[in-house]
Amino acid sequence: MSWFVKTIWSTSVGRKLVMALTGLFLCTFLAVHLAGNLQLLKQDEGYAFNKYAVFMTSNPLIKTTSYLLYASIIGHAVWGIVLTIKNKKARPQGYAYQNESVSSVWASRNMGILGTILLVFIVAHMGDFWREYHEYGTSTPMETKTYIDEKGETVVYKDLYHEVVETYENIWMVLFYVASMVAVGFHLCHGFKSGFQTLGVNHPKYLPVINSVAFIFWGIIPAGFALIPLYIYFNHI
Amino acid sequence: MNLTLKVWRQKDASSAGKMVTYPAQNISPDMSFLEMIDVVNEGLVKKGEEPIAFDHDCREGICGMCSMFINGRPHGPKQGITTCQLHMRSFKDGDTISIEPWRAKAFPVVKDLVVDRSAFDRIIQAGGYVSVNTGVTIDANAIPIAKDIADEAFDAATCIGCGACVAACKNASAMLFLSAKVSQLALLPQGQVERDKRVERMIDQMEDEGFGSCTNTGACSAECPKEIGQHHIARLNREFITAKISSSNK
Ligand code: HEM
Ligand code: SF4
Ligand code: FES
């Protein structure tokens, strides 16, 4: 496999392919994650959401995919930072005056900064809910809640719902979350289309489709994420 | 017209440079940008000062030599033209105009506005050619090529290697230049023999020369005097992927 390792390790286009594949994979994850989070809006004391959390952490297919996901986040972030630093070095002396905004959009020039904001968010976010749910390094186990399921049987789930609601009763957490979703929006405003361009998918026949789907990813999905903590906050004050 | 120029002056490759202000007086709006600098230089020579060094050759938009970063943009404010095709009527009387050389690690400044673009030559030497024995001239229609393919290849072939794409790119990436060369040859039957090797070698060479990688900002196409499009970069990426998967190079 040496040609393969060489390709993704030491060629610029190969490194970009890693960015595109991991980035687009993370996009599919965003869609699945939002579908789950929308369960928070149900008025069922967290039954649907807590059940979803059990599914996400026990289904073998999802568990396997989650390792791919962790690898993708790390790979994408590390390569993203490496590429950004390498690209900075390609112009050691800058211009005294450069008018960049006429030829490119802001988001496309700031993927490194936007990505770094996302990295901070992902680490904080996982340190919160993911770590507590898996009880990695927590002193007390997560509280549980008992529900009667659709078949009338008694089920006991870890009460992640309660954790989430408690967190987003704090306005600062809400603001941090919403700001991060704005960053996701900008990152994908350029990133989604860019990923396809990197993979060589650019053709007048399917570009319009990519552009429409891109709007779902940079507009609708981040807005959907951001609405949930706002909803919780305004419902619980 | 009377203008104020802020020009990058640098004695040689090893000296530090700086922006220096010069007045440009009695400039005709019908002059080209290079003629305007000629006038300023005449004045400098008369005063016994060193004239501003800049590259140029054809002065008609085909050689790609006249690299100047004018008011923050390669080849100045107009779309689809080189510096030598830019006329002073594109500016207003009393304007201040900043003029800098291309900035990239791979394009070191030689003097003032002159940069060394031989990195492009080495990229071409790495793979931007076809090896066919020329022999006698063959009939133009001996090899049938569809009109749309020929047009697309021709569009790519209009690249004059000026380096504006590198100058505009925030990563000083040479991807648009490479994509024009790779596209042109990948589309034509004559380019098939070295197809895989070409793209692999040219990309390796680009890396070795110290150009950045592409972030798909699109600045290169927006500033390219020949308006080479982003779809050529997509084709370069496809050529690269297929070469890596299917070529015999280990
Ligand atoms: C929700 C998480 C994320 C998603 C869905 C995502 C998605 C994407 C996509 C689709 C691209 C386009 C790839 C291409 O141009 O070929 C991209 C590029 C990029 N991402 Fe992310 N990303 C995420 C998180 C991050 C993080 C945590 C970083 C950390 C530093 C990061 C840094 C970058 C950089 C620097 C680029 C530009 C790379 C380049 O074009 O050279 N991203 N991202
Ligand atoms: S692609 Fe355009 S900007 Fe780049 S070298 Fe060729 S003509 Fe100049
Ligand atoms: S001098 Fe030849 S293109 Fe401008």
Side-chain angles (χ1 to χ4, degrees):
Chain A
M1 286 305 259
S2 79
W3 65 271
F4 182 76
V5 176
K6 257 195 267 170
T7 301
I8 60 171
W9 196 262
S10 61
T11 70
S12 61
V13 183
R15 284 190 289 260
K16 280 291 322 235
L17 287 172
V18 174
M19 288 307 285
L21 290 172
T22 52
L24 291 174
F25 178 63
L26 291 177
C27 287
T28 62
F29 158 74
L30 282 185
V32 175
H33 191 355
L34 177 62
N37 285 10
L38 288 175
Q39 313 297 321
L40 284 163
L41 301 180
K42 285 196 179 161
Q43 304 292 343
D44 61 356
E45 297 188 350
Y47 170 70
F49 183 71
N50 285 341
K51 187 176 166 188
Y52 156 80
V54 172
F55 172 75
M56 291 306 275
T57 45
S58 55
N59 181 300
L61 189 68
I62 305 249
K63 271 182 96 167
T64 319
T65 317
S66 71
Y67 291 113
L68 196 60
L69 179 71
Y70 305 145
S72 290
I73 295 175
I74 295 168
H76 187 85
V78 170
W79 257 177
I81 292 166
V82 168
L83 277 168
T84 307
I85 294 170
K86 271 184 153 288
N87 286 342
K88 275 250 164 338
K89 285 197 184 141
R91 176 166 294 135
Q93 173 153 23
Y95 292 103
Y97 171 62
Q98 186 174 14
N99 188 351
E100 289 179 293
S101 56
V102 288
S103 55
S104 62
V105 297
W106 182 86
S108 75
R109 298 192 302 270
N110 290 282
M111 292 299 275
I113 295 165
L114 289 164
T116 307
I117 297 173
L118 295 188
L119 188 63
V120 171
F121 171 75
I122 293 170
V123 170
H125 190 65
M126 285 182 77
D128 234 358
F129 304 126
W130 180 82
R131 190 178 61 87
E132 282 176 27
Y133 196 81
H134 290 85
E135 292 167 7
Y136 295 141
T138 49
S139 49
T140 47
M142 189 178 259
E143 282 172 33
T144 57
K145 197 167 167 86
T146 312
Y147 300 98
I148 310 292
D149 72 6
E150 293 88 350
K151 290 180 222 130
E153 283 167 26
T154 309
V155 284
V156 181
Y157 294 144
K158 285 190 195 173
D159 199 2
L160 185 61
Y161 175 80
H162 179 73
E163 288 285 333
V164 172
V165 169
E166 222 174 46
T167 302
Y168 295 112
E169 281 167 0
N170 178 339
I171 185 68
W172 295 110
M173 294 305 282
V174 175
L175 289 178
F176 175 53
Y177 193 95
V178 171
S180 303
M181 289 312 113
V182 172
V184 172
F186 277 110
H187 196 71
L188 294 185
C189 182
H190 175 68
F192 191 81
K193 279 182 275 182
S194 171
F196 284 95
Q197 166 81 2
T198 302
L199 296 176
V201 183
N202 175 330
H203 192 285
K205 274 190 202 157
Y206 29 78
L207 221 48
V209 181
I210 296 175
N211 286 341
S212 316
V213 179
F215 175 66
I216 300 179
F217 278 92
W218 71 258
I220 297 176
I221 291 185
F225 274 112
L227 282 176
I228 295 167
L230 287 170
Y231 174 85
I232 294 174
Y233 181 76
F234 286 109
N235 259 329
H236 290 263
I237 45 170
Chain B
M1 301 170 81
N2 292 319
L3 304 151
T4 308
L5 306 185
K6 287 188 177 338
V7 187
W8 182 262
R9 299 304 308 262
Q10 180 171 337
K11 197 163 148 262
D12 52 39
S14 49
S15 320
K18 61 174 194 296
M19 297 296 275
V20 179
T21 306
Y22 298 100
Q25 268 144 3
N26 298 323
I27 300 298
S28 153
D30 296 328
M31 278 180 186
S32 79
F33 200 83
L34 297 187
E35 284 164 340
M36 181 276 292
I37 299 200
D38 290 337
V39 169
V40 173
N41 272 347
E42 264 173 33
L44 288 177
V45 171
K46 272 186 199 141
K47 280 199 280 176
E49 286 178 39
E50 183 80 10
I52 301 162
F54 64 98
D55 260 333
H56 62 103
D57 187 16
C58 70
R59 298 206 176 198
E60 56 179 8
I62 54 174
C63 74
M65 287 303 285
C66 50
S67 49
M68 280 188 201
F69 204 79
I70 302 162
N71 278 348
R73 300 178 64 183
H75 297 304
K78 287 267 146 112
Q79 208 83 32
I81 55 168
T82 52
T83 300
C84 58
Q85 296 171 299
L86 177 66
H87 288 94
M88 294 318 292
R89 53 181 169 268
S90 303
F91 299 89
K92 287 196 306 288
D93 188 33
D95 273 1
T96 299
I97 305 175
S98 78
I99 313 171
E100 294 177 73
W102 288 173
R103 295 281 184 208
K105 186 179 165 212
F107 289 164
V109 174
V110 176
K111 186 183 166 86
D112 299 340
L113 303 173
V114 179
V115 297
D116 175 358
R117 287 180 296 127
S118 56
F120 269 12
D121 300 336
R122 288 186 293 274
I123 290 176
I124 294 291
Q125 283 156 12
Y129 53 82
V130 289
S131 318
V132 278
N133 294 328
T134 43
V136 292
T137 317
I138 55 164
D139 186 79
N141 296 318
I143 308 170
I145 301 169
K147 173 85 167 79
D148 55 341
I149 303 280
D151 285 350
E152 174 85 352
F154 186 81
D155 280 348
T158 58
C159 165
I160 52 176
C162 66
C165 42
V166 175
C169 176
K170 80 178 239 296
N171 311 321
S173 171
M175 283 286 275
L176 193 67
F177 167 73
L178 248 83
S179 78
K181 304 303 167 193
V182 166
S183 223
Q184 177 201 337
L185 298 175
L187 285 163
L188 298 176
Q190 293 88 339
Q192 300 310 305
V193 180
E194 288 111 344
R195 189 167 173 177
D196 291 341
K197 268 193 220 135
R198 173 181 306 120
V199 63
E200 290 181 329
R201 287 190 185 161
M202 288 176 84
I203 285 177
D204 284 348
Q205 190 66 34
M206 171 176 82
E207 185 86 14
D208 291 348
E209 298 291 349
F211 292 104
S213 64
C214 179
T215 332
N216 304 323
T217 68
C220 51
S221 293
E223 300 290 22
C224 169
K226 302 298 162 184
E227 304 183 312
I228 306 282
Q230 290 287 290
H231 58 289
H232 291 292
I233 296 186
R235 182 177 293 106
L236 170 66
N237 291 337
R238 287 200 294 279
E239 289 292 317
F240 179 80
I241 296 168
T242 20
K244 282 295 170 196
I245 292 172
S246 64
S247 81
S248 54
N249 312 330
K250 295 240 172 57

